[in-house]
Amino acid sequence: MMDPSVIAQTMLVIAVEEGTVLLLAALGEIYAERSGVLNLGVEGMMAFGALMAILTMMATSSYVLAVLVAVAAGLSLSLVHAVLSIHLRTNQIVSGLAITILGLGLSGFLGRREGIIGRPIVALPDVSVPGLSAIPVIGPAFFDQNLIVYFAYALVAAMWFLLFRTRLGLNIRTVGENPAMADSLGVNVYGIRYLCTLVGGALAGLSGALITLGYYPAWTEGMTLGRGWIAIGLVILATWNPSRALLGAFLFGGVTALPNAFMSVGYQQIPSSFLQMLPYALTLLVLAAASIRGLRKKVAPPAALGLPYSREE
Amino acid sequence: MEGNPRVDSSLGDYLVELRGIVKQFPGVLANDHVDFQLRRGEIHALLGENGAGKTTLMNVLYGIIKPDSGESYVKGRKVHIRSPKDAIALGIGMVHQHMKVVEPHTVVENVILGLKEPRFLLDLKEAASKVKQISERYGLKVDPFARIWQLSVGEKQRVEILKVLYRGADILIMDEPTSVLTPQETHELFSSLKTMAAEGKGVVYITHKLKEVFELSDRVTVMRKGKVVITRGTEGADERELAKLMVGREIFFHPERTARPPGKEMLVIEGLNAINDKGLPALKDVSLVVREGQILGIAGVAGNGQKELAEIIAGMRKCTSGRVSIGGADVTNKPSKFVFEKGLAYIPEERIGVGAVPTLNVAENLAVKSYRYRPFSNRGLLNREKMAASASELVKRFDIAAPSVETPALFLSGGNIQKVVLARELSGVTATEPPKVVMASYPTRGLDVGATEYVQKVLLQYRNEGCAIVIISEELDELLALSDELAVMFEGRIMGVLDRDRFDPESIGLMMAGRAAEVKGG
Amino acid sequence: MRVASPFNLNLKDIRLIRRSSLPRWESILFSLSGLVLAFVVTGVLFTIVGVDPLAAYWAISQSFANPILLASTIERATPLLFAALGLVVAFRLNFWNIGAEGQLYMGAIAATGIVTLHLTTYPFPKVIVLPLMFVTAFLLGALYGVFPALLRAKFQVNEILSTLMLNYIAILLGNYLIYGPWQDPGSHGFPNSRIYPPEALLPSIPYIGGSSGFLIAAIASVVVYIIMNRTTFGFELKVTGDSVRASRYAGMSYTRVVALAMVLGGGLAGLAGMSFMSGIMGRMKENFSGGAGYTAIIVAWLAGLNPLVAVMAAFLFGGLLVSGDTLQITLNLSASTTNIFQALVLVFILASEFLKKYRIVWRGVG
């Protein structure tokens, strides 16, 4: 039996690490959905980003380049989704699924082709924040992480601020609620939707990079393990609010640590499945809550989510 | 009396002057050489019934519509208003009947939506204090940080007004604002408007309610059929005179309207009360009787409860109290399926989308209510052959121009779609026997002359054969031509029911504008 | 002359005219050119990476030509077809059921539950095992599908989001069962259920090989077709899907229609899950579906929501899945290579859908 504080710390570390991956993808998806575009392609963008990051790292030994390429990878996939969903007004569900399949396919194909399965790289080093990282239990988990994680923390604040305290954010939210009205007020609906969808793709790619560069520094097929889908659920739990996404991300991330935690205290993995259901059940609850009159508007999805917009119709 | 406004050489006196505005829409001359002025510090009422041209005129001023000809002057300068942006830049603001607010945003966010400045950072506190300033100055109480969905309808309207004032408007156009307000909110609105006028702003107040004209306005312009009938000071005006001018016309009787002794009571409505979608009372103690072989026309400006009345009769909305019966059977608050099984045909206001589904074909549209009965289906299995056969027969009978019964409805003209609706409704539940009661909401709206004539003819035909028919229409002419009795609705009440022989523009006008007139007994 | 770039290419330059109708041949032409484009682009991609595109395409075609692979194709098409049929019904109603994956899992759970029961505590007469599995798989899937339907009908809960969440819960439930109470004692800790006995397996099709489950699914597609076109329920489905307001006006109850649709939809997806167990794997494992519930969405959509066309579409997709393995073995390519092809086909067909609906008029030039 291990020392409970060690277990707690390990769990917390995993929660932060896994959570940050989810967080990045979720932040991007929040922006996309806030503007009204449903992007179900996150998983594919994440996978593609993860692969391109490690490939670039192997080729150039530059973390910076690897991150940039991963972001570009996510961006390019989301561009396809954006054109299909915004200009061509296709069914956003099918389009998103196509992108997921494309991203997964591309990453699997290229990964195998380049023969990098299992080949390790040097993971991103952790940078510990002086002072804060010494706090027992919490310190190492939150403040002894790699730079992308710190970037994610900053991003939460920045994205929250942008969404709720700037004109751009106001316009984004209006486009997602009532694009016709935004249009009549002179807001560039298409432009904003493109912007938000591309941001979503870029961050999904970045989250993939975090996986390979940060935590699993060797590539195998299917290593994203459905995190992209979890991120989409996280967006709902966070009620499309970046600051709540932070909490939800750690929650979702934390439950992935449960199986190991249980084993190390002697329980078998079994009941952990039920605890793992918790975030999803909670999300369902949030969805159901939106129907209660008083809560409806506080937790409801953007009204125009998934609906293509055109000026004539 | 045709009011010919003095062409004032000192244009500076007028905030707004519109000269000779002409606007033609397909089939209707909405504005026929209209002259209109708004003085500084005045509240100018624009009075008229549906389709008189008031909203069109103001849409021209606000830049939503471009006039075919005419000139606009704002504060003494000639202007070309091409879009609402231009209008706003000139200090004109319009508060529409149907509010354009974004529900999850706060009041402040709604007010500053779409502004160019500030470009990046939103100083919500500063904006909020400015909003508070304006709201206190004009008595428009509302919490700047409240979210729109938390507000009452009256408060939402205040947000609209604040939006307009925030942008520095000194010319306000209010389009039928009180149709959604409680009496208390109306009172507060009026005092806000009077404060604005006292400061030198100008308000154009579109309404059909006489009471408001007299309570609020300094001058009133009456429009009818696209023309200005009179412009005069409100003080000392005679309301009966105004009502008559609003509605005055010659009454033409439809040639096929033969006199007919009324049969037994077929549709009986007693003491109906109901609430609309916004939670406000829509119907107040409405009672009506329609007999076999009679057409009851329901007149009144749209938004006075007609929609809710039709929906309740058809079983598509619940009433809070009262009784509805068809042919003696009680149908109060029963589902729509029950109501049409009892013999009600309902021609809905929304032809496309409710009455007919564009993606379904003609035969399917014709069967959309009768599909569940024999012979069209048997124990859950559809009999498409019978559906098609019945459809062909109906197409012939009602002269529907469609390439085949398999043609999707979206390829039909508006008139033919309405014929499909008529054919389906008038052939009753089993497609064989006629209905007992026909409820027709705006049946000729948007139709060309030929289709309109056809619809009217058919309605009269079924009347002559003994159906009890209720027609809601915004075309007073149509109602006067077709109806045996005319009821006028205002703010959810029946102001009066007039018998054929007493169709008189003055009475009708008064009732439409909110004054009760002589009520036909029974 | 202004140079057009994606960003000044706004609605002012391009006018889109909604087409009122499209002759059938043009419609097929658009779809086919989408298909051809996908082939070309994938071929280019292969060439860039140094793979011979023709060799790759030959490998893909073997899924249909080679008899052993054909049997595999049929097998893998079966769950896709079942699930796609369920989705066809739901999508016709504009009820965006993303939860086929979860409903599928519930069906698998039901089937495995019966088998586990049969092998441990209550041995059933062999003859009724398979039918019992069918029935329970359908029921459990149906229940799992009706739940989000009611959430939508009564509480206006967005079904895309709710069914997505329910997927996870079902998958986690399945994992719990095969890691825990239903784990095969002979598996030494691996997450497998007990091996299905012969009476719980779907028989193979004589001569061709491949699971007879496909035949059952094909029959199901005919049944679904009949339901959608020849029953009052199918009529209600169509009307409600095209206009909810009109359906209310016609006296139809949205709750009833959506609930029935999802009984059918969830139930069929449940059968898909069962067919994975009884037709392909012979036991329940972790991640057995390979995302079939999501693939089925694509199948249904590509089939134009037509249950009969879905048979062909599922068959083709089954072939693609098999060819993924072929490519891995013969050309050492990842099995997910076919995913690229799949995705590109989708993207191009999505784009062509747009062209079918709208004509592009560039500043007056048609």
Side-chain angles (χ1 to χ4, degrees):
Chain A
M1 264 276 268
M2 292 168 74
D3 176 12
S5 73
V6 172
I7 298 172
Q9 185 173 299
T10 318
M11 272 190 66
L12 216 51
V13 169
I14 297 180
V16 172
E17 292 181 350
E18 288 289 335
T20 311
V21 173
L22 297 173
L23 178 64
L24 284 170
L27 284 174
E29 181 72 5
I30 286 178
Y31 264 58
E33 292 192 10
R34 275 279 186 179
S35 79
V37 177
L38 181 67
N39 176 16
L40 293 182
V42 183
E43 178 78 358
M45 295 173 195
M46 200 188 264
F48 195 40
L51 171 81
M52 293 309 280
I54 201 167
L55 267 182
T56 315
M57 188 59 198
M58 284 178 184
T60 66
S61 296
S62 159
Y63 289 117
V64 173
L65 264 179
V67 165
L68 287 176
V69 170
V71 166
L75 255 176
S76 49
L77 282 180
S78 67
L79 183 60
V80 177
H81 180 61
V83 171
L84 285 173
S85 304
I86 302 171
H87 257 107
L88 300 189
R89 288 175 240 149
T90 59
N91 184 320
Q92 292 180 11
I93 297 172
V94 180
S95 164
L97 282 176
I99 297 296
T100 292
I101 297 175
L102 184 59
L104 286 169
L106 278 172
S107 76
F109 175 67
L110 286 173
R112 201 178 175 103
R113 193 85 193 127
E114 300 297 315
I116 62 166
I117 300 178
R119 261 179 53 198
I121 57 162
V122 180
L124 269 175
D126 289 345
V127 176
S128 59
V129 177
L132 289 171
S133 61
I135 304 174
V137 181
I138 322 180
F142 287 96
F143 300 110
D144 192 9
Q145 291 286 356
N146 60 54
L147 287 173
I148 300 183
V149 174
Y150 297 138
F151 174 68
Y153 295 161
L155 201 60
V156 170
M159 288 185 105
W160 182 90
F161 188 79
L162 185 72
L163 195 59
F164 292 110
R165 291 281 182 269
T166 65
R167 174 149 313 272
L168 178 62
L170 180 61
N171 287 344
I172 292 174
R173 286 182 286 134
T174 310
V175 165
E177 294 293 333
N178 190 339
M181 187 177 172
D183 198 8
S184 72
L185 289 168
V187 174
N188 185 348
V189 174
Y190 277 28
I192 288 204
R193 285 188 162 178
Y194 265 99
L195 179 68
C196 291
T197 311
L198 291 176
V199 164
L203 286 174
L206 181 61
S207 74
L210 184 57
I211 299 178
T212 44
L213 295 179
Y215 308 127
Y216 299 91
W219 184 86
T220 49
E221 212 170 325
M223 65 186 302
T224 44
L225 293 175
R227 289 188 184 88
W229 293 106
I230 300 177
I232 297 176
L234 173 55
V235 168
I236 305 167
L237 187 60
T239 62
W240 295 268
N241 184 323
S243 54
R244 290 192 193 139
L246 186 63
L247 293 165
F250 291 149
L251 179 67
F252 270 95
V255 295
T256 65
L258 285 176
N260 290 324
F262 269 78
M263 270 203 282
S264 57
V265 287
Y267 289 166
Q268 289 178 305
Q269 200 219 345
I270 307 157
S272 73
S273 291
F274 286 104
L275 276 168
Q276 284 180 302
M277 285 184 205
L278 200 64
Y280 305 107
L282 267 176
T283 309
L284 256 183
L285 226 64
V286 167
L287 280 171
S291 69
I292 302 174
R293 212 152 254 251
L295 286 176
R296 179 179 316 208
K297 304 292 182 160
K298 280 193 202 166
V299 303
L305 182 61
L307 300 172
Y309 174 67
S310 101
R311 208 171 262 169
E312 297 94 25
E313 289 166 32
Chain B
M1 184 183 101
E2 293 278 46
N4 210 342
R6 294 168 291 131
V7 177
D8 209 306
S9 52
S10 59
L11 287 167
D13 242 5
Y14 293 132
L15 277 178
V16 172
E17 184 171 0
L18 299 171
R19 289 190 197 167
I21 301 290
V22 175
K23 182 67 192 176
Q24 172 88 37
F25 288 122
V28 61
L29 188 57
N31 285 149
D32 189 355
H33 298 86
V34 172
D35 296 327
F36 179 82
Q37 317 84 36
L38 179 68
R39 290 191 188 132
R40 245 176 241 289
E42 94 169 334
I43 300 181
H44 192 140
L46 201 46
L47 182 68
E49 51 153 348
N50 295 314
K54 338 182 270 297
T55 308
T56 307
L57 186 67
M58 288 300 111
N59 282 341
V60 165
L61 178 59
Y62 194 57
I64 297 177
I65 298 180
K66 272 189 276 284
D68 301 327
S69 67
E71 296 171 334
S72 314
Y73 294 82
V74 173
K75 295 175 200 163
R77 266 182 30 234
K78 185 162 178 188
V79 293
H80 296 286
I81 305 176
R82 274 173 291 242
S83 75
K85 277 208 195 67
D86 293 344
I88 296 172
L90 288 166
I92 305 173
M94 188 160 175
V95 176
H96 305 265
Q97 224 181 347
H98 303 291
M99 284 173 276
K100 303 175 174 180
V101 283
V102 182
E103 298 282 325
H105 290 359
T106 61
V107 169
V108 183
E109 288 175 333
N110 265 281
V111 170
I112 63 175
L113 209 52
L115 287 175
K116 287 298 170 214
E117 300 297 322
R119 279 193 139 215
F120 184 60
L121 270 173
L122 296 180
D123 191 344
L124 291 175
K125 282 214 182 67
E126 195 202 312
S129 76
K130 190 169 167 193
V131 166
K132 232 180 155 65
Q133 253 180 21
I134 301 177
S135 78
E136 274 162 13
R137 189 154 161 192
Y138 299 109
L140 298 161
K141 286 195 307 279
V142 76
D143 172 11
F145 289 110
R147 297 201 176 265
I148 300 296
W149 52 270
Q150 294 170 312
L151 300 178
S152 71
V153 177
E155 288 169 320
K156 284 186 200 180
Q157 194 184 67
R158 282 182 211 153
V159 175
E160 289 279 298
I161 301 177
L162 283 168
K163 242 164 86 167
V164 160
L165 292 172
Y166 192 91
R167 286 157 175 72
D170 30 29
I171 300 160
L172 262 94
I173 308 171
M174 308 286 298
D175 191 352
E176 306 268 14
T178 58
S179 48
V180 293
L181 299 180
T182 65
Q184 175 62 19
E185 288 170 336
T186 306
H187 181 74
E188 286 168 358
L189 174 66
F190 284 7
S191 88
S192 302
L193 291 176
K194 285 184 185 156
T195 313
M196 287 179 217
E199 279 195 5
K201 297 198 198 290
V203 178
V204 180
Y205 191 90
I206 301 177
T207 182
H208 65 280
K209 304 186 185 182
L210 280 172
K211 179 163 172 272
E212 297 184 347
V213 172
F214 285 100
E215 206 178 306
L216 194 58
S217 65
D218 305 302
R219 284 200 304 161
V220 56
T221 293
V222 182
M223 285 185 74
R224 189 182 76 221
K225 289 213 189 300
K227 288 199 185 37
V228 169
V229 176
I230 186 174
T231 299
R232 57 159 295 161
T234 312
E235 190 157 340
D238 175 14
E239 64 176 29
R240 293 210 310 272
E241 179 79 21
L242 289 179
K244 192 163 169 188
L245 287 171
M246 203 171 90
V247 166
R249 71 229 301 124
E250 278 186 59
I251 297 175
F252 291 103
F253 294 135
H254 200 284
E256 291 190 34
R257 250 214 80 263
T258 53
R260 209 199 121 88
K264 55 183 198 282
E265 294 181 347
M266 200 42 77
L267 172 68
V268 179
I269 301 173
E270 291 167 302
L272 212 57
N273 282 287
I275 305 187
N276 66 17
D277 292 333
K278 299 209 169 81
L280 295 169
L283 293 178
K284 298 173 190 156
D285 223 31
V286 169
S287 300
L288 289 169
V289 172
V290 190
R291 295 168 191 276
E292 278 178 336
Q294 292 261 289
I295 294 183
L296 173 72
I298 299 189
V301 173
N304 279 297
Q306 297 95 321
K307 171 167 122 54
E308 289 80 6
L309 180 62
E311 288 174 351
I312 291 175
I313 295 175
M316 298 196 63
R317 177 185 288 273
K318 295 217 188 300
C319 63
T320 51
S321 66
R323 245 187 115 242
V324 180
S325 69
I326 292 178
D330 183 25
V331 298
T332 318
N333 283 338
K334 294 276 195 303
S336 60
K337 195 162 77 118
F338 185 86
V339 178
F340 68 71
E341 280 172 359
K342 289 295 169 198
L344 177 93
Y346 177 37
I347 298 164
E349 185 176 339
E350 233 184 297
R351 192 175 308 139
I352 300 181
V354 180
V357 184
T359 41
L360 293 178
N361 67 34
V362 173
E364 289 166 333
N365 269 299
L366 286 171
V368 103
K369 283 187 178 179
S370 55
Y371 73 96
R372 52 171 78 88
Y373 309 107
R374 296 185 192 203
F376 301 117
S377 72
N378 193 345
R379 277 184 268 210
L381 286 171
L382 269 184
N383 188 331
R384 283 197 175 249
E385 289 75 29
K386 289 250 168 47
M387 274 169 65
S390 160
S392 302
E393 199 261 312
L394 284 173
V395 163
K396 251 196 302 257
R397 195 168 14 135
F398 284 85
D399 196 27
I400 302 173
S404 91
V405 294
E406 309 281 326
T407 316
L410 60 92
F411 291 131
L412 299 179
S413 70
N416 279 302
I417 295 181
Q418 191 69 317
K419 284 188 191 177
V420 169
V421 178
L422 281 173
R424 175 186 68 226
E425 295 299 314
L426 294 175
S427 52
V429 162
T430 53
T432 45
E433 34 159 278
K436 298 196 173 99
V437 178
V438 178
M439 172 83 240
S441 279
Y442 307 95
T444 59
R445 184 190 266 168
L447 295 182
D448 61 44
V449 177
T452 304
E453 274 180 20
Y454 180 86
V455 172
Q456 292 174 345
K457 194 177 75 153
V458 167
L459 287 172
L460 274 173
Q461 193 187 320
Y462 274 76
R463 165 212 178 256
N464 293 342
E465 288 175 19
C467 285
I469 304 187
V470 181
I471 304 180
I472 297 178
S473 175
E474 56 212 345
E475 294 290 326
L476 198 49
D477 291 320
E478 177 174 63
L479 292 174
L480 292 171
L482 297 174
S483 315
D484 298 293
E485 287 184 338
L486 186 72
V488 183
M489 284 191 77
F490 181 80
E491 289 186 343
R493 273 184 237 279
I494 304 284
M495 300 305 282
V497 181
L498 293 178
D499 198 44
R500 188 104 221 145
D501 337 311
R502 275 134 138 215
F503 282 1
D504 142 50
E506 189 181 302
S507 315
I508 297 174
L510 279 173
M511 287 196 282
M512 281 176 67
R515 300 288 194 226
E518 302 157 55
V519 179
K520 174 189 182 266
Chain C
M1 165 121 155
R2 233 166 34 141
V3 175
S5 81
F7 298 101
N8 62 19
L9 208 70
N10 57 26
L11 289 168
K12 291 201 285 276
D13 294 342
I14 301 181
R15 266 174 49 239
L16 299 167
I17 302 175
R18 219 193 170 107
R19 297 179 193 267
S20 53
S21 69
L22 193 63
R24 186 126 279 192
W25 69 269
E26 262 192 66
S27 179
I28 298 181
L29 185 67
F30 276 125
S31 300
L32 274 178
S33 29
L35 205 60
V36 168
L37 261 174
F39 267 104
V40 168
V41 173
T42 318
V44 167
L45 184 64
F46 281 155
T47 322
I48 293 179
V49 198
V51 176
D52 177 9
L54 290 175
Y57 288 136
W58 184 87
I60 293 179
S61 69
Q62 287 311 293
S63 305
F64 307 103
N66 180 314
I68 302 175
L69 292 179
L70 183 64
S72 220
T73 298
I74 294 178
E75 244 173 44
R76 301 181 74 164
T78 308
L80 288 179
L81 181 54
F82 271 122
L85 287 175
L87 290 170
V88 162
V89 175
F91 288 170
R92 190 68 191 80
L93 189 58
N94 271 324
F95 185 81
W96 295 101
N97 176 23
I98 314 293
E101 185 79 357
Q103 291 140 22
L104 179 164
Y105 257 81
M106 292 311 255
I109 288 174
T112 309
I114 298 285
V115 167
T116 309
L117 211 58
H118 172 68
L119 288 176
T120 53
T121 22
Y122 297 120
F124 301 111
K126 298 205 173 163
V127 156
I128 73 163
V129 170
L130 211 50
L132 195 58
M133 286 163 71
F134 263 107
V135 169
T136 46
F138 188 90
L139 277 177
L140 212 60
L143 274 172
Y144 209 61
V146 160
F147 179 53
L150 291 176
L151 282 180
R152 162 77 190 265
K154 297 290 182 200
F155 302 112
Q156 291 88 47
V157 173
N158 183 321
E159 69 272 17
I160 302 173
L161 306 172
S162 65
T163 52
L164 202 57
M165 294 300 102
L166 286 170
N167 281 348
Y168 281 101
I169 296 180
I171 295 173
L172 285 169
L173 181 64
N175 283 349
Y176 160 69
L177 290 168
I178 57 176
Y179 270 99
W182 291 358
Q183 187 180 83
D184 184 2
S187 243
H188 309 294
F190 279 100
N192 290 329
S193 76
R194 289 179 173 74
I195 301 182
Y196 280 26
E199 61 267 23
L201 293 176
L202 285 165
S204 302
I205 305 174
Y207 300 116
I208 308 179
S211 168
S212 54
F214 192 73
L215 290 177
I216 302 176
I219 296 174
S221 81
V222 173
V223 171
V224 170
Y225 179 80
I226 293 176
I227 291 178
M228 284 178 70
N229 289 293
R230 290 246 147 210
T231 62
T232 54
F233 169 66
F235 188 63
E236 288 170 354
L237 199 68
K238 194 171 180 188
V239 175
T240 312
D242 282 351
S243 169
V244 180
R245 278 190 337 250
S247 75
R248 263 192 67 219
Y249 160 73
M252 302 177 192
S253 153
Y254 182 74
T255 309
R256 204 177 129 259
V257 175
V258 76
L260 271 175
M262 281 311 290
V263 161
L264 204 54
L268 284 166
L271 290 181
M274 180 207 149
S275 69
F276 260 115
M277 315 282 101
S278 295
I280 306 178
M281 303 203 151
R283 75 200 312 182
M284 185 164 167
K285 301 186 200 189
E286 206 173 7
N287 288 327
F288 66 84
S289 77
Y294 297 109
T295 312
I297 297 177
I298 314 276
V299 172
W301 189 81
L302 277 177
L305 299 189
N306 181 324
L308 300 175
V309 178
V311 177
M312 173 105 288
F315 185 67
L316 287 173
F317 264 81
L320 272 180
L321 281 171
V322 170
S323 57
D325 292 333
T326 319
L327 283 175
Q328 189 161 314
I329 297 173
T330 57
L331 294 175
N332 197 27
L333 291 173
S334 159
S336 53
T337 309
T338 50
N339 285 350
I340 302 179
F341 178 65
Q342 231 182 71
L344 284 173
V345 167
L346 261 178
V347 168
F348 285 119
I349 294 201
L350 274 170
S352 74
E353 282 296 307
F354 172 75
L355 286 173
K356 284 190 214 170
K357 273 201 291 191
Y358 295 91
R359 232 180 42 206
I360 300 185
V361 177
W362 185 296
R363 299 210 218 192
V365 179

